[in-house]
Amino acid sequence: MTFCEEQKKSPFAMEEAKSILRDALKVLGKKHFAFISHANSFPSEYGKNTGFGTSNSQAAKKLMNFLSGVFTDIQLGPSGKTKSIDASPYTGTIFSNNPLFIDLEQLTTDEWHNILSTDTYNAICENNPNKNENRTAYSYIFNKQEEALKEAFENFKKADCSELKSKFEEYKQKNAFWLEKDSLYEALIVEHGNDYWPMWKSETDKSLFNPQNEEQKSQYQARIDELKQKYNDIIEYYSFCQFVISVQNDKSREYAQSKGLKMIADRQVAFSDRDNWAYQAYFLKGWCLGCPPDYFSKDGQMWGFPVMDPEKLFNEDGSLGEGGILMKELYKKMFTENPGGVRIDHMVGLIDPWVYVSGKKPKIEEGAGRLYSSPEHPVLSRYAIATEDELNHEVEADKEERILKLTDEQIRKYGRLVEKIVIGAAEEVGLDKDSIVCEDLGTLTMPVVSVMKKYDLQGMKLIQFVVPEKSEHPYRCKNITPRSWAMVGTHDNEPIAMWANATVNTEAGYLNGKNLAEDLYPDASAEEREQIAVRVSKDAHFLTQLKLVELFACKAENIQVFFTDFLGLYDVYNRPGTSGDKNWSLRIPDNYEEVYCNNLKEGKALNLPLILKLAIEARGHEFANKHSEIIKRLESIM
């Protein structure tokens, strides 16, 4: 890499420096250091910006080269197929991958028998309205990618590539159990001129995989056969896109592993419209998954996602039901494709989900409740694990303190989906429970806490969300446990510098300063700590620095850093509860090396040598003296 020429090169440009950083991370007890970036945020090479990032491009390989040697993992976002009107990856399909992640440039090469013309590819890059910005152009590329892939498919059918076509047939057979449904849905979109199945006029087409009796089963199968024949080309095209992305993903994964990096997948709590249609027989009719009323939403959050029927997840004898088998197949696919593991979004949704009546608000007075913790509920009581005797009836059903106690057997029941499906799937592909990253932020009911503890699962500690008034708050440095993933923020949060600017000159700023002074300056006097607290309360840059020191000084074995905090970008990737093309659109700049270098000199980017040095010193004089040699080595690359 040839940047930062005026001063010392960035430590990320020198192998010797990377070795020093690895040793420092080891001294601090860090096992994993993950870089968070959804694939759509990956950069492009100059002149090759189609409008959407992908982990399969040449630019992605260069980014991996840049990160390798220090970072151990890349935390991606959900990879499912999204809709033209919604860029959120958290509403994508559970099995099908997003064709937007196909690297079009590869299809113009001999490897793919030049099935896409260079003229088409170049025109997409040239006409990208955001080609000079680090923003995706979602609406633009959604349509252009489709046009390009259809051209590639037509040429693929005519190409003399027997080996590639043979692999395509093998892929379809291997993935038939989900690919048949997903591709058939694509045919029905054309049939009905609408991609939202509840609006289709044919009741048969709405329920093709949900027959109620043998007569319907025979009738529906005949309809499926009819559609396959009528829309064979559309079905084949959909399958072709899934095949291409699968081949490219495999190669990218191999390349990442050759650089010492593993990909961590992201399993969203939602099911897409396509999944809802295909697997509606496994969902609890008339109920949706959501969030109870809280500080941020007085009426709760109406997510509208379907809820897996507990009686379809497990049979009476405890074995997996049809829905449980489906979920296990999903996790097996994810663990197989992502040896770094899987981040489970909204862990509460697997253990103690909040559900509400479809068409109503997720409020208690309108019938909402926790699926497995509502023994007093007229409908949900049949699924209750906790009993009425174990409830604190003075506390409302949506509060964390609702359940007073649980037996070990009850905890097992709350955790059986985690144990038998998630952990079971990981073990079947040769991974262990440490490959499971649990997003357990927000409301943590007793069942969630108990299951996490029983199965020794690793949750998240978001130090930006610390409540400074609470000395024992779990997100504070001194309280963060080793078996966890710590971070200053996720894809849903402002960069730490933006948070710091909003926090200084407030009471919270001073209280944060007091905590940081106590936790990071253990050998300081009371007077010195007070001076630090006052400085923190007024100096956003100092507060930012100390929060980053806190991240590495804490005892968490695993660390994640979002790309905005690493590069020093003062921008937001996602603002929850908002929509529009700007959301989910922020990308790593194509000239990220230059950006990183410049922001490093200005004190904006993550100065890892400095932060690690300060983190070691924050462990106290005795610890710092023991590791004085690594401190000197860090100083040599600062």
Side-chain angles (χ1 to χ4, degrees):
M1 298 177 189
T2 57
F3 59 104
C4 293
E5 294 179 356
E6 304 131 304
Q7 300 183 8
K8 287 183 179 180
K9 288 185 177 180
S10 157
F12 278 80
M14 302 180 293
E15 291 306 314
E16 181 182 355
K18 289 184 175 184
S19 175
I20 295 171
L21 296 175
R22 287 197 301 273
D23 289 346
L25 287 165
K26 186 175 180 180
V27 162
L28 289 164
K30 309 310 176 191
K31 293 182 178 179
H32 294 275
F33 183 26
F35 181 81
I36 310 175
S37 176
H38 291 186
N40 56 286
S41 293
F42 273 46
S44 303
E45 290 186 294
Y46 179 75
K48 297 181 178 181
N49 186 348
T50 64
F52 208 73
T54 172
S55 57
N56 297 318
S57 65
Q58 283 298 315
K61 289 182 179 180
K62 291 181 179 179
L63 178 64
M64 292 175 194
N65 294 343
F66 179 69
L67 300 175
S68 68
V70 179
F71 287 95
T72 59
D73 307 86
I74 298 178
Q75 170 68 67
L76 299 172
S79 60
K81 179 176 171 59
T82 50
K83 301 181 69 168
S84 62
I85 59 172
D86 190 356
S88 171
Y90 288 91
T91 58
T93 50
I94 61 173
F95 284 108
S96 284
N97 284 312
N98 197 337
L100 291 176
F101 292 142
I102 292 175
D103 177 37
L104 294 179
E105 185 183 19
Q106 290 184 44
L107 304 186
T108 69
T109 66
D110 291 343
E111 179 187 2
W112 284 92
H113 296 264
N114 311 102
I115 56 177
L116 180 66
S117 72
T118 54
D119 287 344
T120 297
Y121 172 69
N122 290 336
I124 290 174
C125 297
E126 179 60 31
N127 295 317
N128 168 20
N130 291 347
K131 64 182 178 182
N132 297 318
E133 300 179 46
N134 59 316
R135 290 276 176 190
T136 61
Y138 187 78
S139 299
Y140 169 80
I141 191 56
F142 193 95
N143 294 321
K144 291 299 180 182
Q145 189 94 346
E146 179 85 352
E147 292 173 11
L149 291 174
K150 285 182 176 178
E151 176 188 316
F153 177 58
E154 291 303 316
N155 290 330
F156 174 75
K157 290 189 292 183
K158 295 179 285 188
D160 182 15
C161 52
S162 56
E163 184 178 352
L164 203 55
K165 289 179 177 178
S166 177
K167 289 181 179 179
F168 178 39
E169 293 303 318
E170 290 175 9
Y171 174 83
K172 288 190 293 182
Q173 291 177 15
K174 181 180 179 181
N175 296 280
F177 80 95
W178 62 267
L179 186 56
E180 178 189 32
K181 297 180 179 68
D182 282 12
S183 59
L184 195 63
Y185 190 88
E186 198 73 9
L188 286 166
I189 290 175
V190 177
E191 175 83 351
H192 295 281
N194 192 302
D195 67 355
Y196 185 53
W197 68 272
M199 294 182 68
W200 296 345
K201 293 181 179 180
S202 169
E203 293 301 318
T204 295
D205 289 353
K206 288 180 181 179
S207 306
L208 284 179
F209 294 99
N210 187 30
Q212 300 301 305
N213 51 55
E214 286 302 315
E215 182 180 354
Q216 276 193 353
K217 187 175 182 180
S218 177
Q219 176 189 350
Y220 290 0
Q221 185 58 53
R223 175 59 173 162
I224 290 171
D225 293 340
E226 176 190 348
L227 290 165
K228 284 182 176 180
Q229 184 174 3
K230 182 178 180 180
Y231 294 107
N232 177 67
D233 210 46
I234 289 172
I235 290 170
E236 283 289 284
Y237 165 69
Y238 188 92
S239 301
F240 165 77
C241 291
Q242 293 303 308
F243 167 65
V244 174
I245 189 66
S246 175
V247 171
Q248 291 191 357
N249 282 345
D250 286 346
K251 291 190 175 181
S252 296
R253 187 183 315 117
E254 290 172 6
Y255 186 83
Q257 288 181 294
S258 74
K259 297 296 178 180
L261 293 164
K262 291 183 178 180
M263 301 296 193
I264 302 175
D266 196 346
R267 164 62 187 138
Q268 74 270 28
V269 69
F271 291 86
S272 70
D273 295 338
R274 194 178 302 253
D275 302 316
N276 196 348
W277 167 80
Y279 307 111
Q280 58 190 285
Y282 307 147
F283 295 128
L284 200 57
K285 191 173 182 180
W287 291 88
C288 296
L289 183 68
C291 191
D294 57 19
Y295 174 81
F296 299 101
S297 176
K298 63 181 179 64
D299 290 332
Q301 297 178 38
M302 300 173 64
W303 291 343
F305 305 146
V307 181
M308 291 293 288
D309 186 340
E311 294 175 352
K312 296 294 176 67
L313 280 170
F314 296 97
N315 299 316
E316 288 187 9
D317 62 1
S319 62
L320 293 182
E322 292 178 302
I325 293 171
L326 171 77
M327 292 298 289
K328 190 171 185 180
E329 287 298 320
L330 167 62
Y331 277 102
K332 282 175 65 176
K333 181 176 184 287
M334 296 186 75
F335 283 118
T336 299
E337 295 176 351
N338 300 277
V342 176
R343 171 190 182 273
I344 300 177
D345 188 56
H346 194 59
M347 192 69 179
V348 176
L350 286 186
I351 300 171
D352 201 16
W354 183 262
V355 300
Y356 64 96
V357 179
S358 179
K360 295 188 177 182
K361 294 178 181 179
K363 302 170 72 172
I364 298 170
E365 55 268 33
E366 295 193 28
R370 293 212 174 272
L371 182 59
Y372 300 117
S373 302
S374 302
E376 78 290 6
H377 195 284
V379 178
L380 300 179
S381 58
R382 67 183 296 178
Y383 310 114
I385 296 172
T387 66
E388 289 204 53
D389 293 340
E390 292 158 338
L391 300 183
N392 180 351
H393 292 278
E394 296 181 1
V395 175
E396 291 185 324
D398 60 332
K399 298 297 187 290
E400 294 181 351
E401 305 82 3
R402 173 72 163 172
I403 295 178
L404 298 170
K405 60 182 179 178
L406 290 172
T407 66
D408 188 65
E409 179 60 27
Q410 287 173 314
I411 294 171
R412 277 194 171 276
K413 286 184 178 180
Y414 274 107
R416 61 182 180 172
L417 192 155
V418 174
E419 178 185 11
K420 295 186 177 182
I421 294 176
V422 184
I423 296 177
E427 291 177 343
E428 283 190 24
V429 301
L431 300 177
D432 57 29
K433 62 188 175 186
D434 283 357
S435 62
I436 303 167
V437 182
C438 302
E439 191 274 290
D440 57 344
L441 306 173
T443 300
L444 293 182
T445 63
M446 185 181 182
V448 177
V449 173
S450 300
V451 170
M452 293 280 292
K453 183 178 180 180
K454 181 174 184 61
Y455 294 99
D456 194 24
L457 298 172
Q458 299 181 113
M460 292 183 173
K461 307 300 179 186
L462 191 66
I463 63 174
Q464 189 180 132
F465 277 2
V466 68
V467 179
E469 298 90 340
K470 297 182 178 180
S471 176
E472 302 307 312
H473 195 270
Y475 296 167
R476 180 177 169 179
C477 181
K478 70 172 186 176
N479 303 320
I480 294 176
T481 55
R483 285 190 54 76
S484 58
W485 286 83
M487 61 207 71
V488 290
T490 71
H491 62 270
D492 287 329
N493 305 118
E494 295 178 339
I496 190 64
M498 193 178 290
W499 171 87
N501 276 335
T503 304
V504 293
N505 299 315
T506 67
E507 183 181 2
Y510 174 72
L511 293 174
N512 268 285
K514 286 190 67 174
N515 291 345
L516 291 167
E518 181 180 324
D519 294 354
L520 303 182
Y521 295 86
D523 302 310
S525 66
E527 182 180 353
E528 289 170 330
R529 288 180 184 174
E530 177 62 19
Q531 291 174 349
I532 292 167
V534 171
R535 182 185 169 190
V536 166
S537 71
K538 299 177 180 179
D539 186 341
H541 183 270
F542 189 46
L543 174 55
T544 298
Q545 183 184 81
L546 290 193
K547 291 301 283 186
L548 290 169
V549 173
E550 178 184 32
L551 178 66
F552 291 92
C554 78
K555 296 296 179 66
E557 296 175 341
N558 310 299
I559 302 296
Q560 289 190 344
V561 174
F562 194 61
F563 74 84
T564 53
D565 289 312
F566 175 71
L567 294 172
L569 303 182
Y570 201 79
D571 208 339
V572 178
Y573 175 64
N574 172 53
R575 288 193 182 277
T578 63
S579 59
D581 272 4
K582 189 173 182 179
N583 235 27
W584 311 103
S585 69
L586 188 65
R587 295 180 66 180
I588 297 169
D590 294 348
N591 63 334
Y592 59 88
E593 296 178 3
E594 180 183 353
V595 169
Y596 177 72
C597 178
N598 290 335
N599 284 345
L600 198 62
K601 287 186 286 185
E602 294 179 12
K604 297 177 181 177
L606 175 59
N607 188 333
L608 199 55
L610 172 63
I611 296 300
L612 293 179
K613 170 184 178 293
L614 295 175
I616 292 171
E617 292 173 345
R619 294 278 183 92
H621 286 321
E622 186 176 339
F623 187 85
N625 289 337
K626 180 181 178 180
H627 299 289
S628 60
E629 184 59 33
I630 191 65
I631 289 177
K632 291 178 182 177
R633 292 171 66 201
L634 286 168
E635 289 173 340
S636 73
I637 58 172
M638 281 167 49

